[in-house]
Amino acid sequence: ISISITLLFMSGKMQEGVKTTLSTLTSLGVELNQSHWWVPQLIRDYITPFMIQQHLSKMEAKLAGLSNDTFLSYPVMTDPSKIMAMELMSRLFELAFFAGEHSKMLFIPSKMIEITLDHGMSPLSPLA
């Protein structure tokens, strides 16, 4: 599926690629609010600075009690569906950057960190 999504993005079929990515993430158990992706007016209306700050504060609180040693000793992520979800979210992050959807870029790494904390370290965890 990863190759199919990459081909959609590279062929300029961004909307189709995003829909495929989001539906695949949902089937892997990772929920992102699909109805608000890539629709500029909805993005402006839906994601407010307060929401961003609230989300980042929640993640900061989760991370506050963890030391570098804790992270270095974290177990390895073994769930194939979560490993695939991390790969898809890293691709979605790249797409958000190139599409200028900077408000979305704050949520993707935060979700990746959440998955890392719940399921262990993957090779893509440091990107988050």
Side-chain angles (χ1 to χ4, degrees), residues 84-125:
M84 175 60 87
M86 294 287 281
E87 182 180 335
L88 292 174
M89 284 188 288
S90 72
R91 291 182 187 271
L92 198 57
F93 182 83
E94 292 171 11
L95 181 63
F97 175 79
F98 289 115
E101 296 290 344
H102 301 280
S103 62
K104 296 296 182 188
M105 292 174 65
L106 296 171
F107 290 98
I108 297 168
S110 181
K111 191 67 172 175
M112 291 174 75
I113 290 168
E114 186 178 314
I115 290 172
T116 297
L117 293 175
D118 292 342
H119 299 280
M121 290 288 230
S122 83
L124 295 170
S125 293

Side-chain angles (χ1 to χ4, degrees), residues 2 5 7 12 32 37 40 46 53 55-56 60 64 70 105 110-111 119 124:
S2 181
I5 291 168
L7 291 173
L32 297 174
W37 278 85
Y46 181 72
Q53 184 58 44
H55 186 72
L56 293 176
E60 185 179 345
T70 302
M105 292 174 65
S110 181
K111 191 67 172 175
H119 299 280
L124 295 170

